[in-house]
Amino acid sequence: TDSIARAFLNAGANNAIASYWQVPSRSTATLMEHFYLQLTHSPAEFNRALRHAQLTVRKKRDHPFYWAGFHLISQEKSSLII
């Protein structure tokens, strides 16, 4: 999945979200909904938006399988939040 995300970055995208494993569609949809909702409040805060979305999904589905596999790949060097 990183290779697809990297292809988008090489094609000019500044950021891409990828997953380490296949996550069920419902969890992915919920995560993306909250990710983009958070971006409407803070447009340049991709890391925080993803973290917020992961925490939101975690409240509903505690097991990391449903939320922990997503990561942000960015042109910026400081894209990782732990």
Side-chain angles (χ1 to χ4, degrees):
T1 56
D2 268 10
S3 61
I4 294 171
R6 295 258 176 232
F8 280 102
L9 295 176
N10 290 336
N14 291 324
N15 302 286
I17 294 179
S19 63
Y20 290 114
W21 55 81
Q22 188 173 355
V23 180
S25 296
R26 184 169 289 172
S27 296
T28 301
T30 301
L31 185 129
M32 287 295 142
E33 178 183 343
H34 288 280
F35 172 75
Y36 285 110
L37 182 63
Q38 188 68 24
L39 279 181
T40 62
H41 299 293
S42 302
E45 302 284 337
F46 293 98
N47 288 326
R48 290 184 186 191
L50 179 57
R51 176 95 171 125
H52 174 80
Q54 287 174 314
L55 292 173
T56 300
V57 172
R58 185 178 180 186
K59 288 178 187 175
K60 297 176 183 179
R61 304 295 300 260
D62 189 47
H63 196 283
F65 173 76
Y66 296 100
W67 55 267
F70 296 96
H71 63 284
L72 178 68
I73 301 172
S74 178
Q75 296 287 8
E76 295 179 21
K77 294 184 175 155
S78 62
S79 65
L80 181 63
I81 289 182
I82 298 176

Coordinates of all heavy atoms in Angstrom, one line a residue:
T1 N 0.8 -1.2 0.0 CA 0.0 0.0 0.0 C 0.8 1.3 0.0 O 0.4 2.3 -0.5 CB -1.0 0.0 1.2 OG1 -0.2 -0.1 2.4 CG2 -2.0 -1.0 1.1
D2 N 2.0 1.2 0.6 CA 2.9 2.4 0.6 C 3.3 2.7 -0.8 O 3.4 3.9 -1.1 CB 4.1 2.1 1.5 CG 4.0 2.6 2.9 OD1 2.8 2.9 3.3 OD2 5.0 2.6 3.6
S3 N 3.5 1.7 -1.6 CA 3.9 2.0 -3.0 C 2.9 2.8 -3.8 O 3.2 3.7 -4.6 CB 4.3 0.7 -3.7 OG 3.2 -0.1 -3.8
I4 N 1.6 2.5 -3.5 CA 0.5 3.2 -4.2 C 0.5 4.7 -3.7 O 0.4 5.6 -4.4 CB -0.8 2.6 -4.0 CG1 -0.8 1.2 -4.7 CG2 -2.0 3.4 -4.5 CD1 -2.1 0.4 -4.4
A5 N 0.6 4.8 -2.4 CA 0.6 6.1 -1.8 C 1.8 6.9 -2.3 O 1.7 8.1 -2.6 CB 0.7 6.0 -0.2
R6 N 3.0 6.3 -2.3 CA 4.2 7.0 -2.9 C 4.0 7.4 -4.3 O 4.5 8.4 -4.7 CB 5.4 6.1 -2.7 CG 5.8 5.8 -1.3 CD 6.9 6.6 -0.8 NE 7.1 6.3 0.6 CZ 7.2 7.2 1.5 NH1 7.1 8.5 1.2 NH2 7.4 6.9 2.8
A7 N 3.3 6.6 -5.1 CA 3.0 6.9 -6.5 C 2.2 8.2 -6.6 O 2.5 9.1 -7.4 CB 2.3 5.8 -7.2
F8 N 1.2 8.4 -5.6 CA 0.5 9.6 -5.6 C 1.4 10.8 -5.2 O 1.3 11.9 -5.8 CB -0.7 9.5 -4.6 CG -1.9 8.8 -5.2 CD1 -2.1 7.5 -4.9 CD2 -2.7 9.5 -6.1 CE1 -3.2 6.8 -5.4 CE2 -3.8 8.8 -6.6 CZ -4.1 7.5 -6.3
L9 N 2.3 10.6 -4.3 CA 3.2 11.7 -3.9 C 4.1 12.0 -5.0 O 4.4 13.2 -5.3 CB 4.0 11.2 -2.7 CG 3.3 11.0 -1.4 CD1 4.2 10.5 -0.3 CD2 2.6 12.3 -0.9
N10 N 4.6 11.0 -5.8 CA 5.5 11.3 -6.9 C 4.7 12.0 -8.0 O 5.4 12.7 -8.8 CB 6.1 10.0 -7.4 CG 7.1 9.4 -6.5 OD1 7.7 10.1 -5.7 ND2 7.3 8.1 -6.6
A11 N 3.4 11.8 -8.1 CA 2.6 12.5 -9.1 C 2.2 13.9 -8.7 O 1.6 14.6 -9.5 CB 1.4 11.7 -9.4
G12 N 2.6 14.3 -7.5 CA 2.3 15.7 -7.1 C 1.5 15.9 -5.8 O 1.3 17.0 -5.4
A13 N 0.9 14.8 -5.3 CA 0.1 15.0 -4.1 C 1.1 15.3 -2.9 O 2.2 14.9 -2.9 CB -0.6 13.7 -3.7
N14 N 0.6 16.1 -2.0 CA 1.4 16.5 -0.8 C 1.3 15.4 0.3 O 2.2 15.3 1.1 CB 1.0 17.8 -0.3 CG 1.4 19.0 -1.2 OD1 2.4 18.9 -1.9 ND2 0.5 20.0 -1.3
N15 N 0.2 14.8 0.4 CA -0.1 13.8 1.4 C -0.9 12.6 0.9 O -1.7 12.8 -0.1 CB -0.9 14.4 2.6 CG -0.2 15.6 3.2 OD1 0.8 15.5 3.9 ND2 -0.7 16.8 2.9
A16 N -0.8 11.5 1.5 CA -1.6 10.3 1.2 C -1.7 9.5 2.5 O -0.9 9.5 3.3 CB -0.9 9.5 0.1
I17 N -2.9 8.9 2.6 CA -3.1 8.0 3.7 C -3.1 6.5 3.2 O -3.7 6.3 2.1 CB -4.5 8.3 4.4 CG1 -4.4 9.6 5.1 CG2 -4.8 7.2 5.4 CD1 -5.7 10.0 5.8
A18 N -2.4 5.7 3.9 CA -2.3 4.3 3.5 C -2.6 3.4 4.7 O -2.7 3.9 5.8 CB -1.0 3.9 2.9
S19 N -2.9 2.1 4.5 CA -3.1 1.2 5.6 C -2.1 0.1 5.5 O -1.7 -0.3 4.4 CB -4.5 0.7 5.6 OG -4.8 0.0 4.5
Y20 N -1.7 -0.4 6.7 CA -0.8 -1.5 6.7 C -1.5 -2.8 6.4 O -0.9 -3.8 6.0 CB -0.1 -1.6 8.1 CG 0.8 -0.5 8.3 CD1 0.6 0.4 9.3 CD2 2.0 -0.4 7.6 CE1 1.5 1.5 9.6 CE2 2.9 0.7 7.8 CZ 2.6 1.6 8.8 OH 3.5 2.6 9.1
W21 N -2.8 -2.9 6.6 CA -3.6 -4.1 6.4 C -5.0 -3.7 5.9 O -5.4 -2.6 5.9 CB -3.7 -5.0 7.6 CG -4.2 -4.3 8.8 CD1 -5.5 -4.1 9.1 CD2 -3.5 -3.7 9.9 NE1 -5.7 -3.4 10.3 CE2 -4.4 -3.2 10.8 CE3 -2.1 -3.6 10.2 CZ2 -4.0 -2.6 12.0 CZ3 -1.8 -3.0 11.4 CH2 -2.7 -2.5 12.2
Q22 N -5.7 -4.7 5.4 CA -7.0 -4.4 4.9 C -8.0 -4.3 6.0 O -8.1 -5.2 6.9 CB -7.5 -5.6 4.0 CG -8.8 -5.3 3.3 CD -9.2 -6.4 2.3 OE1 -8.4 -7.3 2.1 NE2 -10.3 -6.3 1.7
V23 N -8.6 -3.1 6.1 CA -9.5 -2.7 7.2 C -10.9 -2.8 6.7 O -11.2 -2.4 5.5 CB -9.2 -1.3 7.7 CG1 -10.1 -0.9 8.9 CG2 -7.7 -1.2 8.2
P24 N -11.9 -3.3 7.5 CA -13.2 -3.4 7.0 C -13.8 -2.0 6.5 O -13.4 -1.0 7.0 CB -14.0 -3.9 8.2 CG -13.0 -4.6 9.0 CD -11.7 -3.9 8.8
S25 N -14.6 -2.1 5.5 CA -15.1 -0.9 4.8 C -15.8 0.1 5.8 O -15.6 1.3 5.7 CB -16.0 -1.3 3.7 OG -15.3 -2.0 2.7
R26 N -16.6 -0.5 6.7 CA -17.4 0.4 7.6 C -16.4 1.2 8.5 O -16.6 2.4 8.7 CB -18.3 -0.4 8.4 CG -19.2 0.5 9.3 CD -20.3 -0.3 9.9 NE -21.3 -0.6 8.8 CZ -22.3 -1.4 9.0 NH1 -22.6 -2.0 10.1 NH2 -23.1 -1.6 8.0
S27 N -15.4 0.6 9.0 CA -14.4 1.3 9.9 C -13.7 2.3 9.1 O -13.4 3.4 9.5 CB -13.5 0.3 10.5 OG -14.2 -0.6 11.4
T28 N -13.3 1.9 7.8 CA -12.6 2.9 7.0 C -13.4 4.1 6.7 O -13.0 5.2 6.7 CB -12.1 2.2 5.7 OG1 -11.3 1.0 6.0 CG2 -11.4 3.1 4.8
A29 N -14.7 3.8 6.3 CA -15.6 4.9 6.0 C -15.8 5.9 7.2 O -15.7 7.1 7.1 CB -16.9 4.4 5.6
T30 N -15.9 5.3 8.4 CA -16.1 6.1 9.6 C -14.8 6.9 9.9 O -14.9 8.1 10.1 CB -16.4 5.2 10.8 OG1 -17.6 4.5 10.6 CG2 -16.5 6.1 12.1
L31 N -13.7 6.3 9.7 CA -12.4 7.0 9.9 C -12.2 8.1 8.9 O -11.9 9.3 9.3 CB -11.2 6.0 9.8 CG -9.9 6.6 10.1 CD1 -9.1 5.8 11.2 CD2 -9.0 6.8 8.9
M32 N -12.5 7.9 7.7 CA -12.3 8.9 6.6 C -13.3 10.1 6.8 O -13.0 11.2 6.6 CB -12.5 8.3 5.2 CG -11.3 7.5 4.8 SD -9.9 8.5 4.7 CE -8.6 7.4 5.3
E33 N -14.6 9.7 7.2 CA -15.5 10.8 7.5 C -15.0 11.7 8.6 O -15.1 12.9 8.5 CB -16.9 10.1 8.0 CG -17.9 11.1 8.3 CD -19.2 10.4 8.8 OE1 -19.4 9.2 8.6 OE2 -20.0 11.1 9.4
H34 N -14.5 11.2 9.7 CA -14.0 12.0 10.8 C -12.7 12.7 10.4 O -12.5 13.8 10.8 CB -13.9 11.2 12.0 CG -15.2 10.8 12.6 ND1 -15.9 11.7 13.4 CD2 -15.9 9.7 12.6 CE1 -17.0 11.1 13.8 NE2 -17.0 9.9 13.3
F35 N -11.9 12.1 9.6 CA -10.7 12.7 9.1 C -11.0 14.0 8.3 O -10.5 15.0 8.6 CB -9.9 11.7 8.2 CG -8.7 12.3 7.6 CD1 -7.5 12.6 8.3 CD2 -8.7 12.6 6.2 CE1 -6.4 13.2 7.7 CE2 -7.6 13.1 5.6 CZ -6.5 13.4 6.3
Y36 N -11.9 13.9 7.3 CA -12.2 15.0 6.5 C -13.0 16.1 7.3 O -12.9 17.3 7.1 CB -12.9 14.6 5.2 CG -12.0 14.0 4.2 CD1 -12.0 12.6 4.0 CD2 -11.0 14.8 3.6 CE1 -11.1 12.1 3.1 CE2 -10.1 14.2 2.7 CZ -10.2 12.9 2.5 OH -9.3 12.3 1.6
L37 N -13.9 15.6 8.2 CA -14.6 16.6 9.0 C -13.6 17.4 9.9 O -13.7 18.6 10.0 CB -15.6 15.8 10.0 CG -16.4 16.7 10.9 CD1 -17.3 17.6 10.1 CD2 -17.2 15.8 11.8
Q38 N -12.6 16.8 10.4 CA -11.6 17.5 11.2 C -10.8 18.4 10.3 O -10.4 19.5 10.7 CB -10.7 16.5 11.9 CG -9.7 17.1 12.9 CD -10.4 17.6 14.1 OE1 -11.4 17.2 14.5 NE2 -9.7 18.6 14.7
L39 N -10.5 18.0 9.1 CA -9.8 18.9 8.2 C -10.5 20.2 7.8 O -9.9 21.2 7.5 CB -9.4 18.2 6.9 CG -8.2 17.3 7.0 CD1 -7.9 16.6 5.6 CD2 -6.9 18.0 7.4
T40 N -11.9 20.1 7.9 CA -12.6 21.3 7.6 C -12.4 22.4 8.7 O -12.6 23.5 8.4 CB -14.2 21.0 7.4 OG1 -14.7 20.5 8.7 CG2 -14.4 20.1 6.3
H41 N -12.1 21.9 9.9 CA -11.8 22.8 11.0 C -10.4 23.3 11.0 O -10.1 24.4 11.4 CB -12.1 22.2 12.3 CG -13.6 21.7 12.5 ND1 -14.6 22.6 12.5 CD2 -14.1 20.5 12.5 CE1 -15.7 22.0 12.6 NE2 -15.5 20.7 12.6
S42 N -9.5 22.5 10.6 CA -8.0 22.8 10.6 C -7.4 22.2 9.3 O -6.8 21.1 9.3 CB -7.3 22.2 11.8 OG -7.9 22.6 13.0
P43 N -7.5 22.9 8.2 CA -7.2 22.4 6.9 C -5.7 21.9 6.7 O -5.5 21.0 6.0 CB -7.4 23.6 6.0 CG -8.4 24.4 6.7 CD -8.1 24.3 8.1
A44 N -4.8 22.4 7.4 CA -3.4 22.0 7.2 C -2.9 21.0 8.3 O -1.8 20.6 8.3 CB -2.5 23.2 7.3
E45 N -3.8 20.6 9.1 CA -3.4 19.7 10.2 C -3.7 18.2 9.9 O -4.5 17.6 10.6 CB -4.2 20.1 11.5 CG -3.9 21.5 11.9 CD -2.5 21.7 12.6 OE1 -2.0 20.7 13.1 OE2 -2.0 22.8 12.6
F46 N -3.1 17.7 8.9 CA -3.3 16.3 8.5 C -3.0 15.3 9.6 O -3.8 14.3 9.8 CB -2.5 16.0 7.2 CG -2.9 16.7 6.0 CD1 -2.2 17.9 5.7 CD2 -4.0 16.4 5.3 CE1 -2.6 18.6 4.5 CE2 -4.4 17.1 4.2 CZ -3.7 18.2 3.8
N47 N -1.9 15.4 10.2 CA -1.6 14.5 11.3 C -2.6 14.5 12.4 O -3.0 13.4 12.9 CB -0.2 14.8 11.9 CG 0.9 14.5 11.0 OD1 0.9 13.6 10.3 ND2 2.0 15.4 11.1
R48 N -3.0 15.7 12.8 CA -4.0 15.7 13.9 C -5.3 15.2 13.5 O -6.1 14.6 14.3 CB -4.1 17.2 14.4 CG -2.8 17.5 15.2 CD -2.9 18.9 15.8 NE -1.5 19.1 16.4 CZ -1.3 20.1 17.1 NH1 -2.2 21.0 17.5 NH2 -0.1 20.3 17.6
A49 N -5.7 15.5 12.2 CA -7.0 15.0 11.7 C -7.0 13.5 11.7 O -8.0 12.9 12.1 CB -7.2 15.6 10.3
L50 N -5.9 12.9 11.3 CA -5.9 11.4 11.3 C -5.9 10.9 12.7 O -6.6 9.9 13.0 CB -4.6 10.9 10.6 CG -4.4 9.4 10.5 CD1 -5.7 8.7 9.8 CD2 -3.2 9.0 9.8
R51 N -5.1 11.5 13.6 CA -5.1 11.0 15.0 C -6.5 11.2 15.6 O -7.0 10.2 16.3 CB -4.1 11.9 15.8 CG -4.1 11.6 17.2 CD -3.0 10.6 17.6 NE -2.9 10.5 19.0 CZ -2.9 9.4 19.7 NH1 -3.1 8.3 19.0 NH2 -2.8 9.4 21.0
H52 N -7.2 12.3 15.4 CA -8.5 12.5 15.9 C -9.5 11.4 15.3 O -10.3 10.8 16.1 CB -9.0 13.9 15.5 CG -10.5 14.1 15.9 ND1 -10.9 14.4 17.1 CD2 -11.6 14.0 15.1 CE1 -12.2 14.6 17.1 NE2 -12.6 14.3 15.9
A53 N -9.4 11.1 14.0 CA -10.2 10.1 13.4 C -10.0 8.7 14.0 O -10.9 8.0 14.3 CB -10.0 10.1 11.9
Q54 N -8.7 8.4 14.2 CA -8.4 7.1 14.8 C -8.9 7.0 16.2 O -9.5 6.0 16.6 CB -6.8 6.9 14.8 CG -6.3 6.6 13.5 CD -4.8 6.6 13.4 OE1 -4.1 7.4 14.0 NE2 -4.2 5.6 12.8
L55 N -8.8 8.1 17.0 CA -9.3 8.0 18.4 C -10.9 7.9 18.4 O -11.4 7.2 19.2 CB -8.9 9.3 19.1 CG -7.4 9.3 19.4 CD1 -7.1 10.7 20.1 CD2 -7.0 8.2 20.3
T56 N -11.5 8.5 17.4 CA -13.0 8.4 17.3 C -13.4 7.0 17.0 O -14.3 6.5 17.6 CB -13.5 9.4 16.2 OG1 -13.1 10.7 16.6 CG2 -15.0 9.3 16.1
V57 N -12.7 6.4 16.0 CA -13.0 5.0 15.7 C -12.7 4.1 16.9 O -13.5 3.1 17.2 CB -12.3 4.5 14.4 CG1 -12.5 3.0 14.2 CG2 -12.8 5.3 13.2
R58 N -11.6 4.4 17.6 CA -11.2 3.6 18.7 C -12.3 3.5 19.8 O -12.5 2.5 20.5 CB -9.9 4.1 19.3 CG -9.4 3.2 20.4 CD -8.1 3.7 20.9 NE -7.6 2.9 21.9 CZ -6.5 3.1 22.6 NH1 -5.8 4.2 22.4 NH2 -6.2 2.3 23.6
K59 N -13.0 4.6 20.0 CA -14.1 4.7 20.9 C -15.2 3.7 20.6 O -15.9 3.1 21.5 CB -14.7 6.1 21.0 CG -13.8 7.1 21.7 CD -14.5 8.5 21.7 CE -13.5 9.5 22.2 NZ -14.1 10.9 22.1
K60 N -15.4 3.5 19.3 CA -16.5 2.5 18.9 C -16.0 1.1 18.8 O -16.7 0.2 19.0 CB -17.1 3.0 17.5 CG -17.7 4.4 17.6 CD -18.2 4.8 16.2 CE -18.8 6.2 16.3 NZ -19.2 6.7 15.0
R61 N -14.8 1.0 18.3 CA -14.1 -0.3 18.0 C -12.8 -0.3 18.7 O -11.8 0.1 18.1 CB -14.0 -0.6 16.5 CG -15.3 -0.5 15.8 CD -16.4 -1.6 16.1 NE -16.0 -2.9 16.0 CZ -16.3 -3.7 15.0 NH1 -17.0 -3.3 14.0 NH2 -15.9 -5.0 15.0
D62 N -12.7 -0.8 19.9 CA -11.4 -0.7 20.7 C -10.2 -1.4 20.1 O -9.1 -1.0 20.2 CB -11.7 -1.2 22.1 CG -10.5 -0.9 23.0 OD1 -10.0 0.3 23.0 OD2 -10.1 -1.8 23.8
H63 N -10.5 -2.5 19.4 CA -9.4 -3.3 18.9 C -8.6 -2.6 17.8 O -9.2 -2.0 16.9 CB -9.9 -4.6 18.3 CG -8.9 -5.7 18.1 ND1 -8.0 -5.6 17.0 CD2 -8.5 -6.7 18.8 CE1 -7.1 -6.6 17.1 NE2 -7.4 -7.3 18.2
P64 N -7.3 -2.5 17.9 CA -6.5 -1.8 17.0 C -6.7 -2.2 15.5 O -6.4 -1.4 14.6 CB -5.0 -2.1 17.4 CG -5.2 -2.5 18.8 CD -6.5 -3.1 19.0
F65 N -7.1 -3.4 15.3 CA -7.4 -3.8 13.9 C -8.2 -2.8 13.1 O -8.0 -2.6 11.9 CB -8.1 -5.2 13.9 CG -8.5 -5.7 12.5 CD1 -7.6 -6.2 11.7 CD2 -9.8 -5.6 12.2 CE1 -8.0 -6.6 10.4 CE2 -10.2 -6.0 10.9 CZ -9.3 -6.5 10.0
Y66 N -9.1 -2.1 13.8 CA -10.1 -1.3 13.1 C -9.6 0.2 12.9 O -10.2 0.9 12.2 CB -11.4 -1.2 13.9 CG -12.1 -2.6 13.9 CD1 -12.0 -3.4 15.0 CD2 -12.8 -3.1 12.8 CE1 -12.5 -4.7 15.1 CE2 -13.4 -4.3 12.9 CZ -13.2 -5.1 14.0 OH -13.8 -6.3 14.0
W67 N -8.5 0.6 13.6 CA -8.1 2.0 13.5 C -6.6 2.2 13.4 O -6.2 3.2 12.9 CB -8.7 2.8 14.7 CG -8.3 2.2 16.0 CD1 -9.0 1.3 16.7 CD2 -7.1 2.4 16.8 NE1 -8.4 0.9 17.9 CE2 -7.2 1.6 17.9 CE3 -6.0 3.2 16.6 CZ2 -6.2 1.6 18.9 CZ3 -5.0 3.2 17.5 CH2 -5.1 2.4 18.7
A68 N -5.8 1.3 13.9 CA -4.4 1.5 14.0 C -3.6 1.3 12.7 O -2.4 1.8 12.6 CB -3.8 0.7 15.1
G69 N -4.2 0.7 11.7 CA -3.4 0.4 10.5 C -3.2 1.6 9.6 O -2.4 1.5 8.6
F70 N -3.9 2.7 9.8 CA -3.8 3.9 8.9 C -2.6 4.7 9.3 O -2.3 5.0 10.4 CB -5.1 4.7 9.0 CG -6.2 3.9 8.5 CD1 -7.1 3.3 9.3 CD2 -6.5 3.9 7.1 CE1 -8.2 2.6 8.9 CE2 -7.6 3.1 6.6 CZ -8.4 2.5 7.5
H71 N -1.9 5.2 8.3 CA -0.8 6.2 8.5 C -0.7 7.2 7.4 O -1.1 6.9 6.3 CB 0.5 5.4 8.7 CG 1.0 4.6 7.5 ND1 0.4 3.5 7.1 CD2 1.9 4.9 6.6 CE1 0.9 3.0 6.0 NE2 1.9 3.9 5.6
L72 N -0.2 8.3 7.7 CA -0.1 9.4 6.8 C 1.3 9.4 6.2 O 2.3 9.3 6.9 CB -0.3 10.8 7.5 CG -0.1 12.0 6.7 CD1 -1.2 12.1 5.6 CD2 -0.1 13.2 7.5
I73 N 1.4 9.5 4.9 CA 2.7 9.6 4.2 C 2.6 11.0 3.6 O 1.7 11.4 2.9 CB 2.8 8.5 3.1 CG1 2.7 7.2 3.7 CG2 4.1 8.7 2.3 CD1 2.7 6.0 2.7
S74 N 3.7 11.7 3.8 CA 3.7 13.2 3.5 C 5.0 13.5 2.8 O 6.1 12.9 3.0 CB 3.5 14.0 4.7 OG 3.5 15.3 4.5
Q75 N 4.9 14.6 2.0 CA 6.2 15.2 1.4 C 7.0 15.8 2.6 O 8.2 15.9 2.4 CB 5.8 16.3 0.4 CG 5.1 15.7 -0.8 CD 6.0 14.9 -1.7 OE1 7.1 14.6 -1.5 NE2 5.4 14.6 -2.9
E76 N 6.3 16.2 3.6 CA 7.0 16.8 4.8 C 7.7 15.8 5.6 O 7.2 14.6 5.7 CB 6.0 17.6 5.7 CG 5.4 18.7 5.0 CD 4.4 19.4 5.9 OE1 4.5 19.2 7.2 OE2 3.5 20.1 5.4
K77 N 8.9 16.1 6.1 CA 9.6 15.1 6.9 C 9.1 14.8 8.2 O 9.3 13.8 8.8 CB 11.1 15.6 7.0 CG 11.7 15.6 5.6 CD 13.2 16.0 5.7 CE 13.7 15.8 4.3 NZ 14.8 16.5 3.9
S78 N 8.3 15.7 8.8 CA 7.8 15.5 10.2 C 6.3 15.1 10.2 O 5.5 15.8 10.8 CB 8.0 16.8 11.0 OG 7.3 17.9 10.4
S79 N 6.0 14.0 9.5 CA 4.6 13.7 9.3 C 4.1 12.6 10.3 O 3.0 12.3 10.3 CB 4.4 13.1 7.9 OG 5.1 11.9 7.7
L80 N 5.0 12.1 11.2 CA 4.6 11.1 12.1 C 4.3 11.6 13.5 O 5.1 12.3 14.0 CB 5.7 10.0 12.2 CG 5.5 8.8 13.1 CD1 4.3 8.0 12.5 CD2 6.7 7.9 13.1
I81 N 3.1 11.2 14.0 CA 2.8 11.6 15.4 C 2.6 10.3 16.1 O 1.9 9.4 15.7 CB 1.5 12.4 15.4 CG1 1.6 13.8 14.9 CG2 0.9 12.4 16.9 CD1 0.4 14.6 15.0
I82 N 3.3 10.2 17.2 CA 3.2 8.9 18.0 C 2.4 9.2 19.3 O 2.6 10.2 19.9 CB 4.6 8.4 18.4 CG1 5.3 8.0 17.1 CG2 4.5 7.2 19.3 CD1 6.7 7.6 17.2

